[in-house]
Amino acid sequence: MPDHIAGRTRRMLVLVAAVVLVLWQSLAFGQSGLTTYGDLLSPQELATIQRRVIASPPTPPPGFVRPVAQAGAIAKSLTSKTLPVPTSTWTYGCTPTSAGMIFAYYDRNGYPNMYTGPANGGVCPLTDVGQGDVIASPVAGACSIIATQNGFDGRVTPGHADDYYSAYNAAGPDPWVGLRTEHAWGGCTADYMGSNQWRWNYDSTSGIDSNTDGATTVFSNNSSAKLYNYVPPAYYGTPQTEACHGLRLFAESRGYTVLENYTQEIDALYAGGFSFANYVAEIDAGFPVMLQLDGHTMVGVGYDTATSTVYCNDTWDNAVHTMTWGGSYSGMAHQGVTIIHLAPDTTPPTGTIVINSNRSATNSRNVSLALTWNDGTSGSGVVRMRFSDDGSTWTAWQSLAATLPYTLPPGADGHRTVRVQFLDKANNRSATYSDFILLDTTAPTGSITINGGASTTTSTAVTLGLTWADGSGSQVSRVRFSDDGAHWTAWCLPKASMAHTLPGAVGYKTVRAQFLDGAGNYSLVYNDYIKLVTP
């Protein structure tokens, strides 16, 4: 076989193998979107992929001005837009810190399972997302979405900071080695991105060379092409991960589907690369952008198209800063971006409604609704509810409440149905849930006779004959009796014939009866009398 044909055949076999592996892993692990597997690339193809070590220090480089965006000016500008991306100071690496800010944004905007710990009521805070890099004194109010830590945010076992971090720029071995079992990855971006973990050999020499404390590895094509969800070759070390792939791993660990994730060089380096227009489109679509600089990672949160300005969270404070697209920041040139797109929530929420603790009837139009709602662990979260008495005319959407006073519509007595719908952050409407109750404002009627209407009796033990009626109402459920009109027996089940003991000495005795229906309506007081005589 000629060499050129054989070479083409080998490339086709490699391509087929790659497609089969991608399909198999997608089916087996629920992956979606494109993936680049380093194990399937030839040496020539691997040579087109470049590696960057992102290892900026916990404090900004001295001697540089970091311009702060003016919130008032942004609000008034017709050419500016920002997303409400939470801010954080440097927490065990700028790259996991940036990832933590991005996922904190999603946690607050439709993906509430990104963080579920005890801090801030289970919602990522708007400032100080991460706890900083001092293990002994974590930032108050922060959460563990960037790096888990023993004794912080409800954790009682070693986490990322304990197992992998000694001091900025320190090489391995990691602190856990030889002392304890390494913790299982989970709950933080730094785990899945490989940050701080001394376990990979990228320079093909004997021995581990990455990652030092504070560092994360980022791969990209040395061209304008996107590098989708890159899984580095196994011979670099395992687990096979890096910054972009780690974004996907974290999102999937929280129960979400990733549509695509990639790293791409910007157009200032390669014609056709990721452009400012592409960046603006991401922000307009509600997607924060991870900005890759020469040695540093930040989060792009907004723009000003008039000046090609990028608004960014720089990982060193809780302010929003500015940078010119394709320029430099604190002496570090802008080189690329890392993008992640999550599948939107398309599943409607569910819920329930119960009127007056599930009673069957009421004598008042003023009732109480008990409400529950659920959007699942990976839903965007229920945010509003609305009500209808007829299924066609609805109230305005309103804030959620587990209990709510409600007024039934006016009209004649009869059944009333209250319907509720729930709305989640992704604008998914639930089915209509309902409960009904009988409105009964009409009192029941009744009668009482003593000993079948006899005029006298020689015994205090008598028999009461009772009748009652409630028409189409909630029906009589109880009766009570009184011998003096002031003191009453307890309510009891009514019977057509009931025994009763007359009080006191001989003379005329009056027995009174009152009936109660299921809606709480009291009848008038009905009575009969009889003369107690000496035997």
Side-chain angles (χ1 to χ4, degrees), residues 381-411:
V382 181
V383 290
R384 291 289 186 272
M385 59 185 179
R386 66 175 185 172
F387 300 92
S388 175
D389 295 313
D390 58 11
S392 58
T393 301
W394 292 84
T395 65
W397 291 103
Q398 62 190 76
S399 298
L400 299 172
T403 58
L404 188 75
Y406 192 81
T407 302
L408 301 174

Side-chain angles (χ1 to χ4, degrees), residues 159-170:
H160 182 96
D162 312 286
D163 279 354
Y164 303 134
Y165 195 87
S166 298
Y168 173 67
N169 212 30

